[in-house]
Amino acid sequence: MSVLAVLDPAVAVAHTAVTALAQVLPTALAIVLFTVAVRLALHPLARAAARGEKARARLAPRVAELNKKYKNRPEKLREALAELYREEQASPFAGCLPMLLQLPFFSVMYRLFTTPNDLQDHTLFGVPLGLHVGSAHGAGQLAVFGLLYAALAAVGYVNFRRARRATAAQATPQPGAGLLPYLSFGSVLFAALVPVAAALYVVTTSVWSTTERAWLHRGGTPAPAAALVL
């Protein structure tokens, strides 16, 4: 039994919602609209996470100075950092909790669109939503997969460039930071392992995430590179 089976009651509710939409809309479009609705509901958490990221970025130079000043005095360093965050009314973990709170919702949608169910009996341009790329045959089916992967690659490229700029802007890059931008293309590899329904969800949520982060971080410092590939 999958560890995600604990989410099945929530998955059943989500399935009912998508099925209701599919009564009046094509199922593929119902998946897109349901994903957008969930991401819109989660937007306040995304805003809170962005505020936390900005706070950490703003304080990063001062944190680096304290780490250098007290590198051989860990107790004094902890006190200095605690005082800094207290003065700035910030937290080193600001933004982490809102991101964690979103994970159950993403897990529910992942399970809904990857577990075999009646939604996958419908089609996208004639391609069954439950079909995997390895079982595709004919130019038409391969073209649909190609379009989905191309969309994800385009989104990945946007995130790659943004992550490269964020990494270059770091005063003291973390070990392995140069590799993080390439994780932006991970969604393409993930989509190749799941059926069309899940790939369509990944495209929708990736486009939303990229647009949302660009808007939340507009006119300010780039979002941390690691966060851009989530």
Side-chain angles (χ1 to χ4, degrees):
M1 178 182 295
S2 170
V3 294
L4 294 179
V6 68
L7 300 173
D8 283 352
V11 172
V13 173
H15 177 274
T16 300
V18 177
T19 301
L21 284 172
Q23 298 299 314
V24 295
L25 297 170
T27 303
L29 181 57
I31 290 174
V32 171
L33 291 181
F34 176 74
T35 302
V36 169
V38 172
R39 293 306 307 265
L40 184 61
L42 294 176
H43 181 67
L45 292 176
R47 290 179 65 88
R51 286 195 298 270
E53 291 169 1
K54 290 178 180 178
R56 289 198 302 273
R58 176 171 53 84
L59 295 177
R62 297 174 64 183
V63 171
E65 290 178 4
L66 291 175
N67 282 323
K68 182 178 180 180
K69 182 177 181 179
Y70 300 114
K71 63 179 180 179
N72 297 321
R73 302 167 61 188
E75 185 63 31
K76 185 64 177 178
L77 175 61
R78 284 194 294 271
E79 293 177 359
L81 288 175
E83 179 62 24
L84 171 63
Y85 287 117
R86 185 163 50 250
E87 289 178 355
E88 297 294 331
Q89 297 183 337
S91 167
F93 307 108
C96 296
L97 181 58
M99 292 178 64
L100 291 175
L101 290 176
Q102 296 179 64
L103 292 181
F105 295 91
F106 298 149
S107 299
V108 166
M109 291 192 288
Y110 165 80
R111 187 162 177 81
L112 172 63
F113 298 130
T114 56
T115 302
N117 55 58
D118 58 324
L119 295 174
Q120 297 184 1
D121 295 333
H122 298 267
T123 63
L124 172 64
F125 300 125
V127 180
L129 294 177
L131 188 70
H132 287 71
V133 65
S135 301
H137 57 84
Q141 291 190 349
L142 291 174
V144 170
F145 281 102
L147 287 173
L148 291 172
Y149 300 157
L152 285 173
V155 174
Y157 180 69
V158 171
N159 287 334
F160 171 80
R161 287 175 57 86
R162 191 180 301 164
R164 286 285 294 270
R165 289 196 299 269
T167 300
Q170 293 179 352
T172 54
Q174 298 298 316
L179 297 177
L180 290 179
Y182 293 94
L183 295 180
S184 301
F185 297 104
S187 58
V188 181
L189 299 178
F190 174 78
L193 303 175
V194 296
V196 174
L200 187 59
Y201 155 68
V202 173
V203 169
T204 305
T205 198
S206 296
V207 171
W208 179 281
S209 292
T210 299
T211 305
E212 181 180 62
R213 293 186 67 80
W215 184 73
L216 290 175
H217 291 272
R218 65 194 185 284
T221 56
L228 288 169
V229 297
L230 293 178

